[in-house]
Amino acid sequence: MATKHVVVLGHGPIGHSFIEKLKESGAPFRISVVCEEPRPAYNRVMLTQYFEDLDAAKHDEMKLSYVTENKLKEQDVELIYGRATAVDRAARSVAYEAQGTGAKHSVQYDTLVMATGSYCFVPPTPGMTIPDKRNPAWPDDPASRPDGVFVYRTIEDLESMLAAVKSGATRAAVIGGGLLGLEAAKAAYDLKLESHVLEMAPYLMPTQLNEFGGAVLTEKIQSLGIHVHVGVQIKEVVLGDDRKVTGIRILQKGAEEPIVLDVDMVIVSCGVRPRDELAKQCGLELGARGGVKVDTSLRSSDENIYAIGEVAAIGGSLCYGLWAPGVEQADALVKNLVDGPGSAEYSGSDLSTKLKLLGCDVASFGRTLDFWFKRQFDGKDPGIKSLEYKDEINGSYRRLCFTSDGSQLMGGILVGDAKDYSKLLQLSKKPDLAGNDPTGLLSGRPAAGAASGASVDGGDGTGLADDDLICTCIGLTKATVRTAIVEKDAHTVPLLKKACKVGTGCGGCVTPVGEVPKLLAHTLKKLGKAAATGICSHFPYTRRELFQIVKVKELKSIEDMLDAAGQGKGGCELCKPICASILAGIWNEHCLKDGRDQIQDTNDRFLANIQKTGTYSIIPRCAGGDIDPDTLMAFARTAKKYGLWTKITGAQRLGMFGAERHHLPAIYKELVDAGMESGQAYGKALRAVKSCVGTDWCRYGQQDSVNMAVIMENRYKGIRSPHKLKMAVSGCLRECAEAQGKDVGVIATQAGFNLYFGGNGGAKPVHAKLFATDLDEKTLLKYIDRYLMFYITTAKHLERTAPWQAGLEGGIEFLRKVIIEDSLGICEDLDKLMEQNKKNWHCEWKAVAYDEDLQKKFHQFVNTKETHDSEHVEYVDARGQRHPNTYSPPDITGPALYSKDAASSEWEWIFAGQVSDYPSNGGLAVKHGSNELAVFHLPNQPSDLQWLAVQNICPHKQARTISRGLVGELASGAITLADPVYKTTYDLRTGNGIANPNLNLSTFEIKVDADGKVLVKVPPSEQMKKAFDEQIDKAYQLAGMENKKAKAPAEIKYPLNPAARAGLDW
């Protein structure tokens, strides 16, 4: 039977929720989704968060993103960027216009799921739209609105607003004082606009609140400087001669004549309408107020078409506009598609909601829909009795509604203080008050859910029973979330989000005052673990705390650190690099000696930056950018010899790219012998000190900036820090070296040097702060010493100086007191720590170049000196240089090819090196014909887990790098391996993917004989090669790509022999 094709129209949050649930079911459906926006699904509920992130350029990796394009590919979900224009029910096809080109295409379906959501209703007010440009087939078409009229719905809407502000807009009117309108007002407020909220009802949020609650909310919002106008009539959007918005004409409550508010932006957010234009076009039955009429199975009038989310009119009456109902509908539809029609019924959802609007908590909850539709909170229903309370000091209001005998909580309104919303919501679903009295519930004492002194929450402070919902958006009970904490090692909120999706809706339950952090802290305490403020499950300390422990106790290894301050054994991919950073920051010993290589992050382990091909880039130090011609020629000779691509890097240093791991020691030796040093571009260390030419050449130079840059770079080279460090020295105030954009910036003056701290470039540029002026060289270096050591000892892991500095109470003034005045009495310690780091400096490349034991760590294979081409992308000529092709190979998804538990009788034992060749808690690559294995030695594990063997190909993008990954252990017993290129994680015991269950490693039996030989049982090499080749070819076919590497001619052998290099002897 052919696999059924499910096509989803709309890739918003609900459409994506449906896709996730259908994939999780394991049912063999083929899935395609037509996405009208230029990026996959993202969180619309938290849309105003975008103004903090401004990361649209990251496309599918924004902070708001739910999924990446690659993730959808891994799940075999076809993502189609385009706008659906018609549905042909007879042919079961959807016509769409491709994004960018407008080309017309179609896609066939067996089952069609409409998740088209809604659009912002734009009222037919004069000036609000351009009549002759209305687009009935696309209600949200921005071309239908004049310049200056916006809706608030998508990232593109927000980008348009940002562009208007950049063009000079300063005043905005937001039409609508409901949930969406106040979210839009938050957007205007975040844009620093003079903001006016216009609401036609006599108070804000008239659907959810009564007049008293609306008045309290108005006071809160007006205290922010936002103008609130209620009871207004909107007469006209005023346009100038250039058809741009210049104002809005309104009639205020009680006024006889309209006035014009001078605004240059109008943001319309006064309600939504279902996107049902496709349903109309194809003749589906619609709801009474629009939307696709569906039955309890979510099926439309066409048995092959379903609808969920805001476009679904349940029973032809109500379209739900909230997140949680859409998720519940997605759940029901998946059950009906997988288990058969009628397997699940959806009849309705709760409309209770809690939001933070312009910094003010607002919540509305009810036992039934009558609470809102019959407005039981208005006090007009004789069967409902209410208690209300207003706190004028704290600006909060609450109204709780009970049955006439006070035995049941029917609902409530909370404004300004909604911390017990979840408790009250759950109580409103129960048959009684669980021993509480109405007055106590109104005041919050005792906690909702408490009865006869006993707490239903087990003492976790949530007030929730195990079967109560703790995340109403996703529909997760407290018991489900606790299970994720215990069984999936989800010991932080971010890990919990990944484990069970809790908090990925509105996010209210995972805020610092939400119920999830309370449950998390309580559960960890019961497990004997502190609340996860530490680095990971192995260390209950922050980096700052652990740094001090290591320093005071003089710990020298991760084993010492685990014994003295940790728990468990071995560590994991999270804590190992942090421990390596701390050890280097204090002792600054060679990172590859004494077992430290196995705790280094990807790049530090081989003293070079790993690239997507599994090869490395090499960037020697070039202090101050000062370099002589002989050194340049030596650099060029080495690059040519090894066939490396060369480039001047972003930091204006020399870089060579594409070096194979086993060539690195020889390359290091050639560079070191030519007088070069490691540039540590691979480490969290000083990258470079940029400089202009200063007084040497420039007629404007005030001081010798090049000399100062060389002094600084030689002084601070080799110092490891929480994140990379960049410095610069400018010879005058013209600032050619851009010193004020660096972690440490120096600008020459006639009297000395001005010193700046805490500048960062990158995604969120930060201007450095002026610390001191007109310093002499000695004082300048002393202050920089102390600043760096204070940062290294106190910052979080991977925290740049800018956010660290911004997080210090008192900021730059506090730093002046610490560094200049010694207000904390630590300057002597900081000075000593700097001296110790400088004293222990060594060129890490030089140590490898002249140490045969260290060189062995770079061998390609442990069982032979033979080498072969391990790269999975072919090389092409680009701008006259040898360059890897620009595509990325597809993921290899599905079950692994081989399992050690199902070894065939024809499999053979092959030599995989000696026990003495292997590092503890690390892996090496093994050659088997043209195949590669990854073998790991884990001496601290039980005997059956001390040796593990898997394939060396990472299913994610196909790099042959698994043997170079970081090994770790979770509290659950899983032995983890993090791929060094993309950090994809696997369980080495089984080969199963952890982060992505569709990516899996083949496993092989392994043993050690009496002579200390390591042996692995594998299929014959040619059989194994054929199987992996077929698996790779299939991955390319599924991705619609050509396997160019398989057809590429053989590579030139590098390094080149002397004859081939003769022309390079200048």
Side-chain angles (χ1 to χ4, degrees):
M1 181 177 175
T3 301
K4 286 190 174 182
H5 188 191
V6 176
V7 174
V8 183
L9 296 185
H11 198 209
I14 304 307
H16 182 64
S17 177
F18 166 75
I19 291 168
E20 278 192 321
K21 294 173 188 297
L22 190 57
K23 291 302 296 184
E24 288 168 1
S25 74
F29 288 102
R30 178 182 161 217
I31 304 173
S32 299
V33 56
V34 181
C35 179
E36 188 173 85
E37 294 188 56
R39 59 181 57 78
Y42 58 89
N43 191 334
R44 292 190 203 281
V45 177
M46 301 181 72
L47 197 56
T48 53
Q49 169 73 30
Y50 178 72
F51 288 123
E52 293 181 25
D53 306 329
L54 296 177
D55 55 354
K58 293 184 177 179
H59 185 54
D60 57 350
E61 294 184 344
M62 306 183 301
K63 287 188 179 178
L64 293 176
S65 296
Y66 284 129
V67 67
T68 65
E69 293 172 354
N70 284 335
K71 180 71 172 178
L72 290 171
K73 284 181 183 178
E74 290 168 7
Q75 297 176 326
D76 292 324
V77 175
E78 180 187 20
L79 175 62
I80 300 170
Y81 283 121
R83 184 167 60 83
T85 55
V87 176
D88 185 334
R89 290 165 56 190
R92 292 193 194 175
S93 72
V94 177
Y96 66 92
E97 293 180 357
Q99 279 182 19
T101 65
K104 294 181 175 11
H105 302 279
S106 65
V107 58
Q108 300 291 129
Y109 66 83
D110 295 303
T111 298
L112 182 65
V113 178
M114 289 189 169
T116 49
S118 61
Y119 67 94
C120 288
F121 169 66
V122 179
T125 304
M128 200 80 79
T129 60
I130 304 172
D132 59 346
K133 290 190 177 181
R134 281 181 177 262
N135 187 346
W138 185 14
D140 274 339
D141 189 350
S144 66
R145 300 187 298 270
D147 191 353
V149 177
F150 304 88
V151 296
Y152 178 81
R153 195 71 176 160
T154 68
I155 294 292
E156 278 56 53
D157 295 332
L158 269 59
E159 282 288 302
S160 297
M161 294 180 203
L162 282 164
V165 171
K166 289 177 181 177
S167 297
T170 58
R171 299 178 302 277
V174 177
I175 299 177
L179 286 173
L180 295 175
L182 295 181
E183 281 291 309
K186 173 69 162 61
Y189 179 76
D190 288 341
L191 288 171
K192 309 295 191 240
L193 294 166
E194 178 189 311
S195 304
H196 298 260
V197 175
L198 311 181
E199 170 58 50
M200 290 177 284
Y203 54 90
L204 296 177
M205 290 187 64
T207 302
Q208 290 84 9
L209 302 181
N210 60 5
E211 189 165 1
F212 213 125
V216 173
L217 180 58
T218 298
E219 291 173 10
K220 285 274 192 181
I221 292 174
Q222 286 179 329
S223 69
L224 298 173
I226 296 173
H227 306 279
V228 178
H229 310 259
V230 294
V232 301
Q233 297 178 38
I234 300 167
K235 298 294 187 181
E236 177 191 11
V237 174
V238 182
L239 305 177
D241 294 338
D242 56 359
R243 308 298 293 169
K244 290 184 178 180
V245 171
T246 61
I248 187 164
R249 195 182 310 278
I250 63 172
L251 181 64
Q252 302 219 63
K253 184 177 181 180
E256 295 183 1
E257 294 293 330
I259 63 168
V260 174
L261 291 177
D262 292 330
V263 297
D264 27 36
M265 291 175 65
V266 172
I267 304 172
V268 186
S269 194
C270 54
V272 295
R273 300 289 186 271
R275 286 286 303 269
D276 56 10
E277 64 271 15
L278 289 172
K280 292 176 185 174
Q281 170 270 321
C282 70
L284 292 179
E285 188 176 351
L286 303 182
R289 301 180 62 183
V292 182
K293 181 180 178 181
V294 296
D295 59 19
T296 55
S297 295
L298 286 311
R299 181 177 293 183
S300 74
S301 54
D302 183 321
E303 65 177 0
N304 298 307
I305 300 178
Y306 298 80
I308 55 175
E310 293 171 299
V311 76
I314 310 302
S317 58
L318 176 63
C319 292
Y320 286 87
L322 297 174
W323 179 303
V327 173
E328 292 170 5
Q329 292 165 20
D331 256 328
L333 179 53
V334 167
K335 287 185 176 70
N336 285 321
L337 293 181
V338 173
D339 299 332
S343 302
E345 290 190 353
Y346 176 84
S347 55
S349 291
D350 189 0
L351 289 179
S352 300
T353 185
K354 173 190 169 187
L355 295 168
K356 185 176 283 290
L357 300 169
L358 289 155
C360 178
D361 282 333
V362 179
S364 175
F365 64 93
R367 180 176 290 268
T368 67
L369 297 182
D370 286 347
F371 184 75
W372 296 278
F373 293 160
K374 295 186 177 180
R375 297 187 67 83
Q376 291 177 341
F377 51 81
D378 270 348
K380 296 176 182 177
D381 185 337
I384 301 294
K385 302 297 181 184
S386 300
L387 295 175
E388 63 181 358
Y389 170 73
K390 181 180 181 183
D391 183 345
E392 294 189 0
I393 295 175
N394 295 313
S396 64
Y397 168 79
R398 59 175 50 203
R399 184 182 183 93
L400 300 184
C401 304
F402 302 87
T403 52
S404 58
D405 62 359
S407 63
Q408 290 183 327
L409 178 62
M410 301 300 290
I413 293 167
L414 310 173
V415 180
D417 178 6
K419 61 179 178 290
D420 52 353
Y421 163 76
S422 293
K423 308 171 196 174
L424 293 170
L425 171 62
Q426 303 301 329
L427 195 59
S428 72
K429 310 302 179 186
K430 297 184 184 300
D432 55 31
L433 297 183
N436 292 277
D437 67 276
T439 305
L441 290 174
L442 185 69
S443 65
R445 296 184 298 271
S452 304
S455 174
V456 297
D457 63 14
D460 59 26
T462 63
L464 304 177
D466 279 357
D467 58 352
D468 287 340
L469 292 179
I470 195 169
C471 177
T472 55
C473 290
I474 307 300
L476 298 174
T477 65
K478 190 176 82 169
T480 301
V481 176
R482 185 194 295 111
T483 299
I485 297 170
V486 175
E487 296 183 5
K488 297 185 179 180
D489 284 344
H491 294 168
T492 66
V493 169
L495 290 175
L496 266 176
K497 286 183 175 182
K498 289 182 179 179
C500 63
K501 299 184 176 65
V502 68
T504 57
C506 73
C509 61
V510 295
T511 61
V513 296
E515 288 71 34
V516 171
K518 295 175 185 175
L519 174 64
L520 179 60
H522 184 262
T523 305
L524 291 176
K525 186 175 181 180
K526 288 185 72 174
L527 291 172
K529 305 174 184 292
T533 57
I535 292 168
C536 65
S537 59
H538 293 97
F539 291 100
Y541 301 102
T542 64
R543 181 189 181 278
R544 177 177 184 170
E545 293 166 339
L546 192 56
F547 191 100
Q548 294 304 322
I549 292 171
V550 172
K551 181 183 173 187
V552 171
K553 294 192 174 185
E554 298 187 358
L555 308 177
K556 295 292 186 76
S557 68
I558 188 171
E559 291 77 17
D560 292 343
M561 294 169 72
L562 283 165
D563 288 343
Q567 49 202 19
K569 52 191 176 183
C572 64
E573 72 269 15
L574 294 176
C575 65
K576 282 184 174 182
I578 299 175
C579 291
S581 171
I582 291 172
L583 291 170
I586 297 173
W587 312 117
N588 204 11
E589 295 173 322
H590 199 288
C591 62
L592 302 189
K593 293 183 177 180
D594 301 323
R596 286 185 289 274
D597 56 323
Q598 296 304 319
I599 63 171
Q600 302 299 327
D601 210 347
T602 300
N603 298 329
D604 298 82
R605 184 172 171 187
F606 297 103
L607 310 180
N609 290 61
I610 197 168
Q611 306 299 326
K612 69 174 187 177
T613 58
T615 60
Y616 293 83
S617 62
I618 301 169
I619 300 171
R621 188 165 300 286
C622 181
D626 198 12
I627 190 166
D628 62 75
D630 287 337
T631 305
L632 283 171
M633 288 190 288
F635 178 89
R637 278 194 294 271
T638 299
K640 185 77 173 180
K641 176 179 177 181
Y642 290 91
L644 307 180
W645 182 64
T646 54
K647 184 186 183 297
I648 304 299
T649 71
Q652 302 303 295
R653 295 295 182 262
L654 300 170
M656 51 178 78
F657 294 74
E660 295 183 65
R661 178 184 53 169
H662 56 282
H663 288 158
L664 291 176
I667 294 173
Y668 296 159
K669 186 175 187 303
E670 291 193 18
L671 296 177
V672 167
D673 289 348
M676 287 175 262
E677 297 173 346
S678 163
Q680 287 193 307
Y682 49 83
K684 300 296 180 276
L686 175 64
R687 295 294 173 87
V689 183
K690 188 177 179 181
S691 70
C692 62
V693 298
T695 52
D696 284 355
W697 299 96
C698 180
R699 65 186 186 275
Y700 300 110
Q702 301 291 314
Q703 304 287 345
D704 188 347
S705 58
V706 178
N707 185 59
M708 177 54 71
V710 171
I711 290 171
M712 288 170 57
E713 188 151 353
N714 285 329
R715 185 177 183 85
Y716 302 121
K717 64 186 179 185
I719 291 177
R720 299 297 178 115
S721 54
H723 211 301
K724 61 187 175 186
L725 292 168
K726 295 185 178 182
M727 304 182 187
V729 183
S730 284
C732 71
L733 294 176
R734 291 172 179 264
E735 251 283 67
C736 294
E738 300 168 326
Q740 293 172 86
K742 301 292 188 287
D743 298 277
V744 176
V746 176
I747 300 177
T749 66
Q750 286 186 332
F753 297 95
N754 289 349
L755 177 58
Y756 294 81
F757 286 144
N760 284 176
K764 292 187 177 181
V766 176
H767 201 283
K769 301 292 190 297
L770 178 62
F771 179 79
T773 60
D774 296 333
L775 301 176
D776 58 44
E777 179 183 316
K778 181 179 179 181
T779 307
L780 175 78
L781 296 176
K782 178 173 68 174
Y783 290 169
I784 297 174
D785 287 355
R786 293 174 179 177
Y787 178 82
L788 292 177
M789 287 299 110
F790 191 43
Y791 163 63
I792 289 168
T793 58
T794 62
K796 300 172 186 174
H797 186 55
L798 298 182
E799 184 177 38
R800 293 291 300 272
T801 58
W804 167 75
Q805 190 169 298
L808 296 174
E809 189 172 346
I812 197 72
E813 190 56 45
F814 170 72
L815 282 172
R816 290 192 186 101
K817 291 178 180 177
V818 172
I819 293 170
I820 300 175
E821 301 173 17
D822 196 14
S823 61
L824 299 181
I826 61 172
C827 284
E828 184 178 352
D829 287 341
L830 298 178
D831 293 342
K832 287 180 179 178
L833 194 55
M834 174 58 75
E835 286 304 312
Q836 180 167 287
N837 267 272
K838 285 163 48 188
K839 182 180 68 175
N840 289 347
W841 177 84
H842 43 265
C843 175
E844 291 167 336
W845 286 355
K846 186 174 182 178
V848 170
Y850 290 95
D851 187 322
E852 291 185 4
D853 288 334
L854 289 181
Q855 290 167 20
K856 290 178 183 178
K857 298 177 184 292
F858 292 76
H859 288 176
Q860 187 174 20
F861 301 111
V862 64
N863 62 331
T864 178
K865 291 184 178 180
E866 292 179 13
T867 62
H868 69 211
D869 177 14
S870 275
E871 296 183 65
H872 53 302
V873 177
E874 77 284 0
Y875 278 75
V876 295
D877 180 82
R879 300 173 299 279
Q881 293 203 71
R882 178 177 174 267
H883 192 294
N885 213 332
T886 53
Y887 69 90
S888 291
D891 294 344
I892 303 172
T893 57
L897 273 181
Y898 300 111
S899 169
K900 61 186 176 185
D901 298 323
S904 166
S905 58
E906 61 184 5
W907 286 23
E908 57 193 13
W909 290 99
I910 65 165
F911 174 62
Q914 296 287 144
V915 171
S916 57
D917 294 329
Y918 282 83
S920 293
N921 303 309
L924 295 173
V926 171
K927 190 174 189 296
H928 177 45
S930 59
N931 307 294
E932 297 183 23
L933 309 173
V935 173
F936 296 87
H937 181 209
L938 310 171
N940 296 325
Q941 295 295 330
S943 58
D944 60 328
L945 296 175
Q946 289 185 2
W947 292 93
L948 297 170
V950 297
Q951 67 189 60
N952 201 32
I953 300 175
C954 180
H956 183 50
K957 307 301 181 191
Q958 303 185 30
R960 275 67 169 170
T961 55
I962 287 295
S963 62
R964 298 177 237 170
L966 268 179
V967 180
E969 182 180 353
L970 300 180
S972 63
I975 300 173
T976 62
L977 185 285
D979 152 53
V981 183
Y982 296 104
K983 307 301 184 185
T984 311
T985 50
Y986 303 91
D987 188 337
L988 278 179
R989 300 173 303 174
T990 61
N992 294 339
I994 296 175
N996 185 344
N998 287 316
L999 303 178
N1000 299 286
L1001 301 173
S1002 293
T1003 58
F1004 304 95
E1005 188 179 352
I1006 191 166
K1007 67 181 181 180
V1008 177
D1009 71 8
D1011 297 324
K1013 292 180 180 177
V1014 182
L1015 304 171
V1016 184
K1017 192 173 187 180
V1018 291
S1021 61
E1022 287 304 313
Q1023 176 188 322
M1024 191 173 178
K1025 179 182 185 302
K1026 181 181 178 182
F1028 274 110
D1029 285 348
E1030 289 175 351
Q1031 187 186 44
I1032 291 169
D1033 285 340
K1034 181 181 177 182
Y1036 274 97
Q1037 291 169 9
L1038 289 173
M1041 298 171 63
E1042 181 185 0
N1043 186 356
K1044 296 179 181 179
K1045 173 69 175 181
K1047 301 176 182 179
E1051 275 282 306
I1052 297 171
K1053 294 289 284 184
Y1054 292 96
L1056 296 175
N1057 60 45
R1061 297 175 55 217
L1064 283 171
D1065 294 329
W1066 289 290

